[in-house]
Amino acid sequence: MSSCRVVLLIGLALLLSLALYVERGYAEVVFTYATGQTTSTADPAYHRDETESMDIVNLYDPLLYPQKGGAPKPHVAESWDVSADGLTWTFHLRKGIKFHDGSELTAEDVVFSMDRELRLGKGYSWLWATALKPGSTKALDRHTVQFRLNAPYGPFIATLIQFFIVNKKVVLAHKEAGDYGEFGDYGVRYLSRHDAGSGPFILESVIPDTRRIYRRFPGYWQRWKPNQVDKVVIEIVPEPATMKTLLKAGKIDMSDQWKDREWFESARNMEGVTVQEDPNNQLYLIHINNKKPPLDNINVRKAILHAFDYRTAVEVIFGNAKRARGPVPVGLAGHNDKVKVYETDLAKAKEYMKKAGVKPKRKFIYSYTTAGVNEKMGLLLQSNLAEIGIDVELKPNTWATLVQMVSKPETTPDFFPVFHTAKYPSPDGHTYLMYHPNAWGTYMSASWYQNPEMSRLMEEARKTADTEKRYELYKKAQEIVVNDAASLWIANPMHRIAYRNRVKGYTFT
């Protein structure tokens, strides 16, 4: 295999691949990764955030694979054709890919996996829910599968890096009673703690909120090289100080990215540790719950955006970050560099509060995970908004709890900070995914913003085959959402990761 995957999907993101050639003095090569985030499932129909996606990309194979600076490349599908009307996509599958039980991955498994995604309606199913329905995917023969879209869908190829194939036989063998007729629960309970994939690793064991272990799959179709990883240990380490101690002592090989600048500066001074920085198609924003009065008032939101201290956030708290210009990261194709940028202007902020005609009498809740910059950003927001009469209370919580809270507007906090990295190579993920009502209910869409004209533009963009025309529609949509002050867009941060020098060949995509 060309590289050991141990791949992380960042915040919901492009793929970060690790090619690990670990120099150790004993037979079994073990790679230990520490993260502060917990997960609730290892099911590819449910994964949503980086830590869940880290399981999925190691245990399963996607139909297509992302590549740096370009369109997705062949993976399970080695080639494909599209009809003149853009509705019929035919994929020719690679022969000889083995699932972990030794059976061959076939077109029937691809059909089953897509129908399962659509029927369960979780995770990234929204990517295909408006373009496909159960039964729209057909196996033409053992290694040829056809998707028949109900309307042209411009980002379709880009989205398939998030479509992972499950073993139909294994899923059905472990189904339990459920809501899906002959399919029972579709194997959901089983796949929360086991895998049915063909990826480079097999899920060996899970201790919820503590540890997950992968074991190398010897029959992986890309093949292995000497000294690549035999075993991966994912340690859940909530406390940054503890993670730093473990890294310094050599008890872990790599940290997650969810640490503040000071943490990485300290790690950089450790003997035998490398801190690597890379430009990243990532957005750090604070969602503003547009459904909760008085935040449903555009003038209150504009007051907030003008009261915020961007310089301190970008230069001091993040360090070496770019100031965000709207929801689409500056380096991502389709970004509109002409969108309005809100500058810190306390006088203007007070004018907007006066124009809004409201005097907030309640506390506004900023709910966050303690990972990385979130607490410092909350303290900055609290200080800034006090200047315009908005009292902000900080409430830390676990990521799993926050994901549940933001599934409904009534339980979503007033302010909710999020890292949102590109999930596929298209501005669609930072427009439709964040601001179309069809995508509501995720941590990425927790602003609960709604504007019929922007929704129409995003729907039209998805149906537009021509890339440049599609990007123009997304750019117009960006102008609308920025003018409506839907969220507080702060930074496009650098990606930072710390690892022991025994880890070789690491690259960030």
Side-chain angles (χ1 to χ4, degrees):
M1 139 182 179
S2 58
S3 67
C4 163
R5 196 171 302 176
V6 191
V7 187
L8 314 180
L9 186 59
I10 303 302
L12 298 295
L14 293 176
L15 292 174
L16 172 82
S17 36
L18 311 178
L20 300 170
Y21 300 88
V22 185
E23 299 164 354
R24 296 197 176 178
Y26 49 87
E28 186 175 60
V29 180
V30 181
F31 174 75
T32 303
Y33 175 85
T35 178
Q37 287 191 342
T38 59
T39 60
S40 57
T41 183
D43 189 332
Y46 276 75
H47 80 289
R48 301 156 297 183
D49 60 37
E50 175 192 340
T51 311
E52 290 173 345
S53 296
M54 180 171 59
D55 288 329
I56 303 309
V57 297
N58 283 289
L59 306 175
Y60 296 87
D61 278 311
L63 194 64
L64 303 180
Y65 205 83
Q67 60 180 337
K68 193 168 187 173
K73 62 182 180 180
H75 197 66
V76 168
E78 58 184 359
S79 64
W80 54 91
D81 310 298
V82 60
S83 61
D85 61 6
L87 296 178
T88 303
W89 292 80
T90 305
F91 292 86
H92 308 283
L93 307 184
R94 194 180 303 275
K95 297 177 182 178
I97 295 178
K98 299 294 185 182
F99 283 116
H100 297 156
D101 70 346
S103 62
E104 187 181 18
L105 186 157
T106 69
E108 187 177 349
D109 297 297
V110 176
V111 172
F112 177 81
S113 298
M114 180 54 78
D115 286 351
R116 183 175 184 270
E117 286 269 1
L118 296 171
R119 289 194 176 108
L120 290 175
K122 304 295 183 181
Y124 285 105
S125 63
W126 62 270
L127 285 171
W128 310 290
T130 59
L132 291 167
K133 59 183 179 180
S136 297
T137 308
K138 305 288 185 183
L140 302 186
D141 60 38
R142 188 171 175 82
H143 296 102
T144 309
V145 64
Q146 189 176 85
F147 296 84
R148 177 67 182 176
L149 309 185
N150 55 39
Y153 181 24
F156 183 58
I157 283 291
T159 67
L160 294 177
I161 67 170
Q162 292 290 3
F163 175 46
F164 293 85
I165 316 305
V166 300
N167 185 328
K168 177 182 178 180
K169 182 178 70 173
V170 169
V171 171
L172 294 183
H174 293 91
K175 69 181 181 182
E176 299 183 17
D179 300 327
Y180 301 96
E182 63 178 304
F183 302 108
D185 73 337
Y186 253 125
V188 168
R189 183 177 176 84
Y190 177 78
L191 289 190
S192 68
R193 295 291 181 267
H194 305 84
D195 83 78
S198 61
F201 292 95
I202 299 169
L203 184 60
E204 182 176 279
S205 64
V206 177
I207 303 176
D209 301 333
T210 302
R211 180 180 300 110
R212 300 189 305 286
I213 296 177
Y214 313 149
R215 178 72 61 177
R216 179 200 287 206
F217 174 42
Y220 188 54
W221 62 275
Q222 288 200 64
R223 302 184 182 180
W224 293 87
K225 293 180 179 181
N227 297 320
Q228 288 189 289
V229 173
D230 297 298
K231 178 180 175 181
V232 178
V233 180
I234 310 295
E235 295 283 2
I236 311 302
V237 185
E239 292 299 323
T242 303
M243 193 182 298
K244 188 186 299 183
T245 299
L246 292 173
L247 180 66
K248 185 175 183 179
K251 298 294 181 63
I252 62 174
D253 294 298
M254 181 175 282
S255 75
D256 64 14
Q257 65 162 320
W258 312 117
K259 302 292 175 284
D260 61 23
R261 181 170 57 88
E262 287 81 3
W263 192 97
F264 282 108
E265 287 177 354
S266 176
R268 196 188 304 275
N269 292 325
M270 294 179 187
E271 185 178 355
V273 172
T274 294
V275 172
Q276 184 165 320
E277 288 190 350
D278 295 279
N280 193 13
N281 283 322
Q282 185 179 70
L283 170 70
Y284 183 83
L285 77 156
I286 296 176
H287 284 294
I288 301 173
N289 188 339
N290 285 216
K291 296 291 186 185
K292 280 190 177 178
L295 300 176
D296 58 344
N297 186 318
I298 187 173
N299 290 306
V300 173
R301 298 197 301 270
K302 287 187 174 182
I304 291 168
L305 267 63
H306 280 296
F308 190 73
D309 181 356
Y310 298 97
R311 188 197 66 79
T312 296
V314 174
E315 297 179 13
V316 179
I317 296 178
F318 271 111
N320 201 24
K322 292 182 179 178
R323 170 76 193 279
R325 299 181 66 93
V328 177
V330 173
L332 189 64
H335 165 75
N336 186 346
D337 60 4
K338 296 180 180 178
V339 294
K340 174 183 174 67
V341 176
Y342 291 83
E343 301 294 349
T344 307
D345 187 330
L346 190 57
K348 188 173 287 187
K350 290 178 177 179
E351 287 178 15
Y352 275 115
M353 286 300 290
K354 184 176 180 180
K355 188 175 180 180
V358 297
K359 291 185 177 180
K361 297 180 181 179
R362 67 177 177 89
K363 284 185 179 291
F364 290 69
I365 303 302
Y366 173 93
S367 200
Y368 64 104
T369 67
T370 55
V373 303
N374 292 333
E375 185 165 358
K376 290 180 180 178
M377 208 64 71
L379 292 169
L380 179 63
L381 182 73
Q382 183 183 60
S383 174
N384 294 161
L385 298 195
E387 298 285 344
I388 57 173
I390 294 178
D391 185 7
V392 177
E393 179 181 353
L394 273 61
K395 286 191 174 182
N397 222 317
T398 65
W399 179 247
T401 300
L402 286 167
V403 168
Q404 288 300 316
M405 289 173 64
V406 301
S407 64
K408 299 177 182 178
E410 299 81 13
T411 54
T412 298
D414 299 292
F415 302 108
F416 173 49
V418 165
F419 287 90
H420 175 29
T421 314
K423 307 299 182 291
Y424 47 101
S426 168
D428 185 78
H430 280 80
T431 51
Y432 191 102
L433 172 56
M434 296 176 69
Y435 298 114
H436 195 288
N438 286 348
W440 281 353
T442 75
Y443 72 90
M444 293 162 284
S445 58
S447 290
W448 297 98
Y449 166 82
Q450 188 170 15
N451 181 307
E453 176 60 13
M454 191 197 178
S455 295
R456 184 193 67 79
L457 286 169
M458 287 184 287
E459 290 162 10
E460 185 180 348
R462 284 189 148 203
K463 295 176 182 178
T464 301
D466 182 272
T467 301
E468 292 306 315
K469 291 180 180 178
R470 184 166 70 251
Y471 283 4
E472 285 304 313
L473 292 167
Y474 283 127
K475 288 179 180 181
K476 290 178 182 177
Q478 291 167 59
E479 291 175 5
I480 293 172
V481 73
V482 169
N483 289 337
D484 285 347
S487 310
L488 177 53
W489 307 282
I490 297 173
N492 298 149
M494 295 290 286
H495 179 268
R496 295 185 178 98
I497 204 123
Y499 54 89
R500 301 293 306 184
N501 291 345
R502 58 178 171 251
V503 177
K504 304 296 182 184
Y506 162 79
T507 59
F508 173 65
T509 304

